[in-house]
Amino acid sequence: MTDVDYMLLALAEARKGEGHTRPNPPVGAVIVKRGKILGKGYHHRAGGDHAEVDAIRHAKGDLKGATIYVTLEPCSKAGRVGACTDAIIAAGISEVVYAISDPNPVNRGRAARVLRRHGIRCRRLDFSKAAALKGELDQLIAPFAKHVTTALPYVTVKIAMSLDGRICDLKGDAKWISSAVARKATGRYRERVDAIMVGAETVRKDNPSLLSHGKRNDDLVRVIVSRSGKLPRNAQVFTDGRNETLVFADAKTALAELGRRGFLHVLCEGGMKLAVSLAQAGLVDEWITVLSPKVIGELPIAKATVISNFKGYEDK
């Protein structure tokens, strides 16, 4: 196996922590010695072991002379937990290979200096033949990078629309423009973010749960933007006894408060008005557009024309 193969394994570990680590980034680590994997680990949540320490704790065998692969440059200053560089030094690991430099300019490059003073090699992974992996790792760290530099969460807006550019029919009905496959993909996306944001009309008309459809994410927070604050008390988001629901008068205030609380990634799913307001304020970092093979026109969605030979896709 190559450096790239081991970093792919570290990325898979890091993915396990997405949506649960705020205000820390999701990070994964793999420890290797003479081609044998001794341990794997990831950051489960803030206040717990970082990925490097988790991998060291779960490793089997002598770590002296081993190499640790980490998706993010190791931390070099103690916070709620000890510095990862200290744990690496104490374990006797001889080399550190990391994928992404610390987005915080105050800490960037510090780990290498600390480790090299103790005779430990430290290098960044060569991505010259692994552009796809670089893209995935950049995407993984993007929410943390934005938060640490702007104090705001990374915002992804998902819009489902018909071929004639409609996101609902003339009565405001939006069920179901997107397919079951697209809805399942959206459900999986909810497993990886910190909050779901929708407008008041989405709650009034669709009464959504705003929860992940597959793997449960108890750390997910539901956010409703309502200028009037008049929302149905019997809506699922208030009565299902599940994840926390927050209500804000406007999206800008909501994001500022979520950023203050350490939220890294917000997925906006409901309402063109909300999406437009976020875009006009320059707060959207990523768009996901689901194009449906239907022409709604002035028909109810249930009677919308389906283009049978259209090859639908989800474009990100």
Side-chain angles (χ1 to χ4, degrees), residues 94-113:
S94 64
E95 183 179 32
V96 175
V97 181
Y98 67 91
I100 304 296
S101 299
D102 194 321
N104 189 338
V106 175
N107 299 323
R108 190 178 305 141
R110 179 182 167 89
R113 293 191 295 271

Side-chain angles (χ1 to χ4, degrees), residues 20-176:
H20 307 288
T21 63
R22 62 177 182 265
N24 297 340
V27 180
V30 174
I31 301 174
V32 181
K33 184 175 180 179
R34 300 191 188 97
K36 181 180 179 181
I37 296 174
L38 302 184
K40 299 178 185 179
Y42 68 99
H43 184 39
H44 293 244
R45 58 180 57 250
D49 289 340
H50 287 187
E52 298 92 325
V53 176
D54 193 47
I56 290 169
R57 288 189 188 280
H58 289 92
K60 296 181 180 179
D62 184 6
L63 301 188
K64 290 183 180 180
T67 297
I68 187 168
Y69 293 84
V70 194
T71 56
L72 181 67
E73 178 182 353
C75 68
S76 52
K77 291 194 295 186
R80 294 175 65 180
V81 296
C84 290
T85 49
D86 290 343
I88 290 169
I89 293 165
I93 291 170
S94 64
E95 183 179 32
V96 175
V97 181
Y98 67 91
I100 304 296
S101 299
D102 194 321
N104 189 338
V106 175
N107 299 323
R108 190 178 305 141
R110 179 182 167 89
R113 293 191 295 271
V114 171
L115 293 168
R116 285 167 184 160
R117 284 201 297 267
H118 288 80
I120 298 173
R121 296 185 299 276
C122 186
R123 59 186 172 91
R124 190 177 179 191
L125 183 69
D126 179 6
F127 287 105
S128 59
K129 296 182 180 180
L133 174 59
K134 176 65 162 55
E136 285 194 63
L137 287 159
D138 284 340
Q139 185 183 50
L140 174 74
I141 203 64
F144 175 73
K146 182 182 179 183
H147 185 264
V148 80
T149 54
T150 69
L152 290 172
Y154 185 93
V155 177
T156 297
V157 175
K158 177 251 181 182
I159 293 289
M161 66 173 64
S162 64
L163 287 176
D164 53 339
R166 295 184 181 273
I167 65 167
C168 62
D169 59 25
L170 295 182
K171 293 184 178 180
D173 186 9
K175 288 186 174 182
W176 295 101

Side-chain angles (χ1 to χ4, degrees), residues 155 157 197 251 255 268 273-284:
V155 177
V157 175
M197 178 185 288
L255 292 176
C268 175
K273 288 182 180 179
L274 178 57
V276 170
S277 69
L278 288 169
Q280 290 177 338
L283 294 170
V284 180

Side-chain angles (χ1 to χ4, degrees), residues 2-20:
T2 66
D3 284 351
V4 171
D5 294 322
Y6 293 129
M7 195 60 76
L8 277 167
L9 293 177
L11 172 61
E13 289 295 307
R15 291 283 189 204
K16 297 175 183 178
E18 282 188 293
H20 307 288

Side-chain angles (χ1 to χ4, degrees), residues 228-290:
S228 69
K230 296 178 180 179
L231 296 164
R233 293 183 180 180
N234 62 345
Q236 285 192 76
V237 292
F238 301 123
T239 62
D240 61 11
R242 296 283 298 277
N243 300 42
E244 182 181 11
T245 299
L246 303 174
V247 179
F248 294 93
D250 64 87
K252 194 171 183 180
T253 300
L255 292 176
E257 176 59 20
L258 293 175
R260 189 188 69 79
R261 297 188 185 192
F263 283 62
L264 303 180
H265 196 173
V266 175
L267 174 63
C268 175
E269 287 193 37
M272 182 59 80
K273 288 182 180 179
L274 178 57
V276 170
S277 69
L278 288 169
Q280 290 177 338
L283 294 170
V284 180
D285 299 286
E286 179 182 16
W287 291 86
I288 296 176
T289 303
V290 178

Side-chain angles (χ1 to χ4, degrees), residues 298-310:
E298 297 184 0
L299 295 171
I301 285 181
K303 297 181 179 179
T305 303
V306 178
I307 311 301
S308 60
N309 63 346
F310 176 80

